[in-house]
Amino acid sequence: RPMTRRAPARRLAICPTGAGWLVAVDREQRRLLWARATAPSISEEDRRPRFGGPVVHQQLPLNERWSMTPPVVAGRRILCTPQELPDITRNHDPILLCCDLESGVELWRRTKESDDLYLGGVSGEAVLVIGRSRVRALKLTDGSELWTLTLPMDAPPSGRGLISGSQYLLPLENRQLLVIGTANGQLQGQLELPADARPLGNLIARQGELLSVDPREIRRFRGRASLDAGIAERLVRDPPDPWALVRQAELARMYGDRDTALRWLRQARS
């Protein structure tokens, strides 16, 4: 059975089959609503055995396919990055496909560019595409380009980011976490982990906290509001509380304010 993920949308379940089709199932009426071919059929000639064995998958350069992402529902539209492309004939390039949610009719498509890694999600009218050296946004209505943000040199994404309101949080290999405005692509913040910390992995938001998931570990980070409240409460009870002062220093360091960080650390030592 193919490895697929579904995207629920109201009464619909949108399912990539892994076999060249995207289907919508009406969960209330328990019937197939529509099916959209996402990859061309392979001719019998291309299916015939070669060199003593059948062709199952042709070897492809690293990252030529999209990194697996579930379909994304945005209003009355559905976006997907079919995993079947490029096909074994190498005649069809990988695409980002936008379809009508209710009918499956194709609205627009864009060919994957060599730098692209994965579909980051939809924020307002911006369809976010995350690449190795840049983040770009396409217009939800027609797929035209809205903006492009170049990432720091030699610092590709270290995991999948997430949308938080009108911002996109993107972890990088240089231990930074970028805060990107989704409306215009402006860099709104840049947090940095300590030098001895590992880069963040895939990000998950949960009850005001941020989880980082990678093959080695799961790390939990308290949200800024929650952490500020905890620090303030401890400082009210005990103004020279070392834990609270060190946390203040860490926050200042993450936001690039080294002078303030040093001031808090000096207070924690005294």
Side-chain angles (χ1 to χ4, degrees), residues 35-257:
R36 155 67 55 181
T38 55
S41 59
I42 307 300
S43 67
E44 289 301 321
E45 175 65 24
D46 288 316
R47 294 180 185 275
R48 291 176 183 172
R50 302 176 187 176
F51 308 108
V55 174
V56 177
H57 260 296
Q58 190 166 341
Q59 291 186 353
L60 301 173
L62 187 64
N63 290 328
E64 185 165 345
R65 282 193 171 92
W66 290 101
S67 178
M68 182 174 288
T69 304
V72 175
V73 176
R76 294 182 57 85
R77 296 169 185 261
I78 178 79
L79 296 111
C80 70
T81 50
Q83 296 297 301
E84 302 85 352
L85 297 174
D87 57 18
I88 61 175
T89 66
R90 299 296 296 279
N91 293 325
H92 302 89
D93 294 323
I95 59 171
L96 167 59
L97 181 65
C98 179
C99 298
D100 180 79
L101 181 61
E102 297 292 338
S103 65
V105 171
E106 180 179 325
L107 301 176
W108 54 264
R109 65 169 60 194
R110 291 293 176 269
T111 301
K112 176 184 180 296
E113 299 187 5
S114 59
D115 186 76
D116 295 340
L117 294 174
Y118 61 87
L119 173 62
V122 178
S123 176
E125 287 296 308
V127 179
L128 304 177
V129 179
I130 313 304
R132 285 185 291 271
S133 64
R134 64 180 181 172
V135 177
R136 60 194 182 105
L138 307 179
K139 195 172 183 180
L140 179 60
T141 53
D142 59 12
S144 59
E145 191 153 311
L146 290 175
W147 53 259
T148 298
L149 174 68
T150 301
L151 299 178
M153 184 74 69
D154 299 323
S158 56
R160 292 179 182 270
L162 61 82
I163 294 173
S164 176
S166 60
Q167 298 175 326
Y168 189 78
L169 309 182
L170 181 65
L172 301 181
E173 287 287 356
N174 63 358
R175 307 186 318 281
Q176 289 183 348
L177 177 66
L178 301 188
V179 182
I180 303 168
T182 57
N184 52 20
Q186 295 296 312
L187 188 61
Q188 298 182 352
Q190 194 168 336
L191 312 181
E192 186 173 345
L193 296 178
D196 59 347
R198 298 178 59 250
L200 297 172
N202 298 330
L203 302 183
I204 302 172
R206 178 184 178 275
Q207 298 179 354
E209 297 180 337
L210 184 67
L211 300 180
S212 169
V213 182
D214 61 48
R216 295 185 181 181
E217 61 186 356
I218 299 177
R219 285 175 283 176
R220 180 177 67 92
F221 300 89
R222 295 176 64 181
R224 180 65 188 267
S226 172
L227 187 56
D228 283 344
I231 291 173
E233 181 180 349
R234 293 185 66 140
L235 289 177
V236 168
R237 293 199 309 261
D238 181 16
D241 185 321
W243 182 92
L245 295 174
V246 169
R247 296 292 86 74
Q248 291 276 49
E250 290 178 344
L251 285 173
R253 172 66 181 83
M254 288 182 64
Y255 281 91
D257 190 346

Side-chain angles (χ1 to χ4, degrees), residues 2 4-9 11-27 31-39 70-73 78-80 82 84 97 99-105:
T4 60
R5 301 179 67 181
R6 72 176 188 176
R11 74 181 194 282
L12 304 181
I14 311 298
C15 308
T17 64
W21 290 87
L22 179 70
V23 301
V25 178
D26 189 316
R27 296 184 293 177
R31 66 182 181 89
L32 182 68
L33 185 64
W34 53 259
R36 155 67 55 181
T38 55
V72 175
V73 176
I78 178 79
L79 296 111
C80 70
E84 302 85 352
L97 181 65
C99 298
D100 180 79
L101 181 61
E102 297 292 338
S103 65
V105 171

